[in-house]
Amino acid sequence: MSGPAMSPSYRKTISVADEAGTRRLADDIAAIARPGDVIALHGDLGMGKSAFARAVVRRLAGDPGLEVPSPTFTLLQSYETARFPVHHFDLYRLADPDELIEIGFAEAVGEGLSLIEWPDRAGDELPAERLNIVISEGEGLDGRRFSLEARDGGWADRLDETFAVRDLLGRAGFQGAERRHLHGDASTRSFERATAGGDAAVVMRWPAWRAYMKRADDDRYEEIVHLADNLTAFSAIADTLRRHGFRSPRVLDCDIKRRLMLVEDLGSDGIVRDDAPIAERYLVAAQRLADLAAVAWPEIAVDDAGGRWPMPRYDRRALATEAGLFAAWYMPRLTGAPMAADARAEWDGLWDDLLARFDDDQRRLVLRDYHSPNILWQASGDPIGMIDFQDGLLGSPAYDFAALVTDARVDIPDELAAAMTAAYVDRRRAFDAGFDAADFAERAVILGAQRNAKILGRFVEYAARTGRSHHLRFLPRIRRNFEKALDDKVLAGVKLWYERLAPPAVRP
């Protein structure tokens, strides 16, 4: 049969030799699927429309053995996946497009990913923005030819990117790898794990960031706080860490033009189990931070290929701008109104005074997000695997320690925090007998409050900007971390400001 009558902005034909090739293509499509996407599957009987749809569903569900029956008689079969719902339609037995109302076609199409076999029978109800895949016979008994045609919906760029990822995997020796989505962070980056045989690697997509907040001087927020926008930042910091004896992933290959990196997979075993911290692993993580603080980090990090990355400094402006997210985004969420100018000025003034203390404390590597999602336990060698450090800079070692003991995703008992502090101090004193534990503790309290204030504002802003609200479930814990820090006398001024302006229901 011929494809639908439309003028596609993207057209590509892919030939596969067997069912494994069909599954690979399904992996490539599943990797870029988004809620609201429609994939229309065209082809004669026996061409493999159901087999392709089944492979997409299984990949998104993360279950290669999932039972995915053909919805020939039910017309619709729906699946809940970790990413979004998937609706598999088979309209072969549809007598009239009006019957689509009875099965909730319009509602389902707008909710998740829709895979539609015999889409022509939907008539005018078929959305114009879709990916059409026409399946026909290829070479050999099991060979198939997939003609991809797309118009709108951003499919062209996405398809180009996913096939570039497949090429990247092939160059690195991961031909035929299975691809699986990995949950990312509140950034522009996204990740997937590629497995081939017993080997695995992580694909990192790193789109260039776009300004989402500007100050009066029109500077970009990302520039002020020194967020990296260059793949060399990752490779240079990773390779420098490894040269100093720390465990960081090796860069296996990259596509600079498309901002793709393939890096060593450090596994999925972390420092948390069943939503609770593994105490002995947290203690080791604290000790390795002390080891890192003993390293005289270079002003310019260099990767193994000679790429150079000048290290920015966690200066007062960057720290204060991050803290400003709390007043700009989180407080309005609590109070239901924008922050008054005088209250905002008072907040900024309080933090300017506190952060002046760190003007001369910008000499050691700050990983910036040293907490449970980014610490992977290694079975051999250095037990602490570090990831997500591309925004690292030169600042106070107290920042990463504060991030570790005030984890946004897990409650750290007071006794464990005390043990981590003792382990850290002991290790620091092994390098420097005169290490001032009291001064360090006070710096960690200040930076812990700053970090948690930043995250509260950042998560609210991120949800407003992107519509993705899954990070908001961490707000109560982050707020508790922030409020607990305010009990320290060094933050007395911030505490008075907060108690005066925050609604009583959320005060400490």
Side-chain angles (χ1 to χ4, degrees), residues 283-297:
L283 291 174
V284 176
Q287 291 170 332
R288 289 304 276 155
L289 266 188
D291 296 338
L292 186 60
V295 173
W297 195 262

Side-chain angles (χ1 to χ4, degrees), residues 1 120 132 172 253 454 507:
M1 64 176 291
D120 290 338
N132 291 297
D253 204 344
K454 171 186 73 173
R507 290 178 186 170

Side-chain angles (χ1 to χ4, degrees), residues 226-237:
H226 310 303
L227 296 185
D229 194 35
N230 190 309
L231 274 63
T232 302
F234 183 94
S235 59
I237 295 175

Side-chain angles (χ1 to χ4, degrees), residues 115-364:
L115 300 160
I116 307 174
E117 298 184 46
W118 303 101
D120 290 338
R121 305 197 177 191
D124 293 339
E125 297 300 316
L126 189 66
E129 291 189 1
R130 63 185 184 270
L131 172 63
N132 291 297
I133 301 180
V134 182
I135 309 175
S136 58
E137 290 183 350
E139 295 184 8
L141 182 63
D142 297 321
R144 292 291 184 270
R145 183 176 290 106
F146 292 82
S147 296
L148 281 57
E149 301 177 348
R151 182 182 61 189
D152 301 324
W155 278 109
D157 290 340
R158 284 189 279 162
L159 289 165
D160 278 343
E161 181 188 78
T162 198
F163 295 132
V165 169
R166 180 60 70 183
D167 291 341
L168 183 68
L169 291 170
R171 291 200 305 270
F174 284 82
Q175 295 90 346
E178 294 184 355
R179 301 166 59 180
R180 183 167 299 176
H181 174 79
L182 292 175
H183 289 291
D185 52 13
S187 74
T188 62
R189 294 180 297 274
S190 62
F191 307 86
E192 61 182 76
R193 173 172 284 124
T195 56
D199 297 325
V202 172
V203 178
M204 177 168 64
R205 295 178 176 86
W206 191 349
W209 47 250
R210 299 289 183 264
Y212 62 84
M213 184 183 303
K214 292 187 177 181
R215 290 157 56 93
D217 56 11
D218 204 38
D219 282 337
R220 287 183 170 184
Y221 171 85
E222 293 90 342
E223 291 174 346
I224 296 170
V225 304
H226 310 303
L227 296 185
D229 194 35
N230 190 309
L231 274 63
T232 302
F234 183 94
S235 59
I237 295 175
D239 292 347
T240 306
L241 278 168
R242 198 164 48 256
R243 285 194 292 271
H244 283 288
F246 297 92
R247 189 75 168 91
S248 58
R250 298 179 183 275
V251 176
L252 305 177
D253 204 344
C254 61
D255 182 333
I256 299 296
K257 178 181 178 181
R258 296 189 179 279
R259 301 180 64 89
L260 302 171
M261 295 190 82
L262 185 67
V263 303
E264 180 185 7
D265 185 5
L266 299 186
S268 302
D269 191 14
I271 59 175
V272 173
R273 183 176 296 132
D274 298 328
D275 298 323
I278 304 173
E280 58 270 23
R281 296 186 179 184
Y282 265 84
L283 291 174
V284 176
Q287 291 170 332
R288 289 304 276 155
L289 266 188
D291 296 338
L292 186 60
V295 173
W297 195 262
E299 295 281 340
I300 299 177
V302 181
D303 64 25
D304 292 346
R308 297 165 60 85
W309 180 249
M311 298 295 299
R313 294 187 178 275
Y314 220 170
D315 52 37
R316 195 191 318 182
R317 187 185 187 210
L319 289 163
T321 300
E322 290 178 336
L325 295 176
F326 182 89
W329 289 95
Y330 186 70
M331 284 298 288
R333 177 184 173 91
L334 292 185
T335 64
M339 181 63 56
D342 57 345
R344 175 60 191 268
E346 183 182 356
W347 171 266
D348 292 342
L350 287 166
W351 279 104
D352 189 66
D353 292 341
L354 287 165
L355 297 173
R357 180 172 185 166
F358 299 92
D359 287 349
D360 61 352
D361 191 7
Q362 299 171 18
R363 298 182 301 277
R364 294 296 184 263

